[in-house]
Amino acid sequence: MEKYDLVVRGKIVGEDRVIQGQIGVKDGKIATIQPMEAELHGDKVLDFENAYVFPGTIDVHVHCFSNPKEGFIPTSMSAAAGGITTFLDMPYDLPNPISNVEIFEKKVQQLEQEAVVDICLWGTIAKTGGTEQIIPLAEAGAVAFKMSTFETDAYRFPRIPDPEILKAMQLIEQTGLRAAFHSENDEIIVDMIDEYKQANKVYPKAHNETRPPLTETSAVLKLMEFAYWTGVKLHIVHVSHPRTIDLIQLFKQQGVQVTAETCYPYLLLDVSALDKFGPRAKNNPPLRQPDEVAGLWKHIERGNIDLVSSDHAPWGLEHKEPGNDNIFLSASGMPGVEIMTPLMFDATVAKGKCTPIQFAKIMAQHPAEVFSIPGKGKIAVGYDADFAVIDPEAKWVIDENQFHSNSKLTPFHGKEVQGKIIQTIVRGTTVYDGTDVTVKPGFGKFVAGAAAKQ
């Protein structure tokens, strides 16, 4: 009788069906999936009964190092507590962006010492003259390349000029990786913010008003046209408006390989949250009108949005509070890795808005497929034994003070959620037991991108 390292029992969410069954795990991989009647013996057996055993969530949009107080340890502990078994860390680090191989390799070493879940790393390029690093970064294991049409910081988070975008796309196309963009029209936004400041219109909703939908859609249109002519695989991050998805559908019909994500705040909040929560609800692009949020949900239901990410930005109060009297003085972004998966479960499966299989696809399978992450994203034989176990009946209340992240602020503080992460398992090892993170920093592994030199 074959003995497994671990046997996991529960409602197993496979690629095309949910079964009351069991998974045999050997050497960190899924070795077999069987109905409950089968006799599976394991050194350890975890029986979750009627809880769902989902593939571990993959969050493609996380910023560990935009706040110097954060980093891999608190972010990956937060991820573990939030059912995220793999995340993709963005390249806009302080003090230096991940725009050359030397910096990239140092980050890999730090990751291997500090992570508690598995992590892929994004690369980026300097504002000008940085494209020669693209092929070396791809070979070093970058999972994809992130660039921006909006300037947050000329060195760390620059707006890339069009000629450099074209050069970058041509080189990224050769690697087979994706070129991803923060897509906002810098010139219009900067001009509108200047006008608003001069008129002393600095109230919370001014953040939305100075970034109207056309600032997103016009930037996305340009990038898709560039992708049409270069053949690169394009990914649009944090889509906030349904028209952006309408345009993406048009370009897909013309053969452009373009994928898109939205983030949980764009689905679960609207612009009124800026009045209610002030800087805590400030993110880029901004929260939209209720009818625009409803339009995003329609696209989710039709399968037009590939995946949902957090855009986890772990700012402290010191970064947010300057915006209490002038919204433009506040940092943009909110933490999310610890609450995204349960919040999305509560808004979808718990409310009958999507099936567990659809949930698994948008939170795990599609992220793995879009970014070509091997062995991750679904419960299938040969894949990593990465699971997010959710009790669908459990109700709990979000408490920002309990976050593992140093960022202890969220507009979702005090919200009751149906669906609780009761266990997170990475490569067959429990990293979160429903109460505590159960592994030491260094358990998590670097997952190299598809163009890495072996």
Side-chain angles (χ1 to χ4, degrees):
M1 176 66 70
E2 184 165 13
K3 202 169 190 198
Y4 296 94
D5 303 332
L6 171 68
V7 173
V8 174
R9 295 180 181 141
K11 283 185 177 165
I12 313 294
V13 184
E15 195 174 356
D16 49 17
R17 61 196 180 121
V18 179
I19 61 162
Q20 193 74 41
Q22 44 191 345
I23 302 165
V25 176
K26 195 126 189 156
D27 300 324
K29 304 263 185 203
I30 296 167
T32 188
I33 303 164
Q34 297 291 336
M36 286 305 280
E37 308 79 70
E39 267 195 64
L40 285 195
H41 299 275
D43 294 334
K44 187 176 180 187
V45 176
L46 294 170
D47 191 343
F48 296 113
E49 298 173 350
N50 286 321
Y52 287 111
V53 180
F54 284 104
T57 298
I58 299 175
D59 187 350
V60 306
H61 197 143
V62 175
H63 296 270
C64 283
F65 292 93
S66 52
N67 178 359
K69 287 185 182 170
E70 193 73 357
F72 284 130
I73 294 174
T75 307
S76 63
M77 287 174 74
S78 297
I84 292 166
T85 52
T86 305
F87 68 79
L88 280 56
D89 195 50
M90 284 291 169
Y92 297 124
D93 297 7
L94 269 169
N96 298 306
I98 309 304
S99 56
N100 67 51
V101 170
E102 186 188 356
I103 294 173
F104 185 89
E105 287 176 344
K106 273 192 193 146
K107 191 170 180 180
V108 171
Q109 288 171 349
Q110 187 178 354
L111 185 167
E112 296 267 356
Q113 290 165 354
E114 295 180 353
V116 303
V117 300
D118 291 351
I119 303 175
C120 307
L121 297 179
W122 287 84
T124 190
I125 58 171
K127 188 175 174 86
T128 54
T131 53
E132 75 278 356
Q133 286 291 318
I134 285 171
I135 303 291
L137 280 164
E139 291 176 348
V143 72
F145 289 87
K146 169 85 179 286
M147 290 157 282
S148 182
T149 60
F150 178 80
E151 189 145 303
T152 300
D153 179 280
Y155 172 62
R156 188 177 70 86
F157 201 145
R159 168 194 179 182
I160 307 294
D162 286 357
E164 295 290 308
I165 290 177
L166 278 171
K167 275 186 224 163
M169 283 185 169
Q170 286 157 351
L171 287 162
I172 295 165
E173 193 276 329
Q174 292 172 29
T175 70
L177 300 179
R178 275 188 192 273
F181 285 85
H182 175 129
S183 312
E184 289 187 291
N185 187 310
D186 186 280
E187 285 178 79
I188 296 172
I189 292 168
V190 168
D191 191 63
M192 289 189 81
I193 289 174
D194 285 346
E195 280 179 24
Y196 266 61
K197 282 178 176 170
Q198 281 166 14
N200 201 31
K201 287 160 52 171
V202 294
Y203 46 84
K205 269 190 183 160
H207 179 60
N208 164 285
E209 291 165 14
T210 53
R211 295 173 121 92
L214 72 86
T215 58
E216 176 173 297
T217 55
S218 60
V220 171
L221 265 175
K222 174 182 81 173
L223 293 166
M224 291 194 296
E225 187 65 7
F226 285 7
Y228 175 84
W229 292 105
T230 58
V232 76
K233 291 179 189 163
L234 177 65
H235 182 72
I236 306 299
V237 304
H238 52 48
V239 170
S240 70
H241 199 277
R243 178 159 171 79
T244 303
I245 304 297
D246 294 339
L247 294 169
I248 285 170
Q249 294 304 107
L250 286 175
F251 274 76
K252 275 184 174 172
Q253 288 162 19
Q254 297 174 27
V256 176
Q257 298 180 77
V258 53
T259 50
E261 70 191 56
T262 190
C263 305
Y264 76 99
Y266 301 119
L267 294 167
L268 306 181
L269 297 171
D270 62 46
V271 66
S272 66
L274 277 164
D275 280 340
K276 193 171 177 186
F277 303 108
R280 285 167 183 247
K282 183 186 178 190
N283 57 347
N284 293 341
L287 300 172
R288 300 293 181 194
Q289 299 297 335
D291 63 318
E292 295 166 329
V293 175
L296 278 182
W297 274 109
K298 283 202 182 83
H299 280 304
I300 290 267
E301 286 155 21
R302 291 174 193 147
N304 295 340
I305 295 173
D306 297 274
L307 57 106
V308 176
S309 69
S310 71
D311 195 1
H312 174 82
W315 301 117
L317 276 174
E318 69 276 20
H319 301 100
K320 287 288 190 179
E321 284 185 329
N324 286 342
D325 300 316
N326 178 346
I327 194 66
F328 299 115
L329 298 179
S330 160
S332 298
M334 51 187 99
V337 288
E338 199 152 334
I339 54 175
M340 171 178 74
T341 303
L343 275 171
M344 285 304 300
F345 181 90
D346 174 73
T348 57
V349 182
K351 302 227 177 0
K353 260 193 174 179
C354 80
T355 67
I357 290 168
Q358 289 167 322
F359 183 80
K361 283 187 164 50
I362 204 164
M363 303 305 289
Q365 185 177 334
H366 292 171
E369 289 171 353
V370 167
F371 291 97
S372 304
I373 306 166
K376 302 280 190 192
K378 58 185 175 185
I379 296 178
V381 171
Y383 277 66
D384 285 359
D386 293 355
F387 311 123
V389 186
I390 297 181
D391 179 343
E393 302 305 322
K395 291 186 176 169
W396 61 289
V397 174
I398 291 175
D399 180 355
E400 63 192 10
N401 302 303
Q402 301 299 313
F403 286 176
H404 291 80
S405 170
N406 289 306
S407 178
K408 302 199 188 300
L409 51 96
T410 174
F412 296 95
H413 177 66
K415 178 179 168 59
E416 186 180 79
V417 178
Q418 183 175 333
K420 189 171 194 304
I421 306 286
I422 56 170
Q423 195 134 154
T424 306
I425 297 168
V426 176
R427 289 177 275 108
T429 297
T430 296
V431 297
Y432 176 73
D433 64 7
T435 309
D436 298 305
V437 175
T438 53
V439 292
K440 296 274 185 287
F443 172 79
K445 286 190 171 167
F446 168 59
V447 181
K453 276 204 162 162
Q454 297 307 319

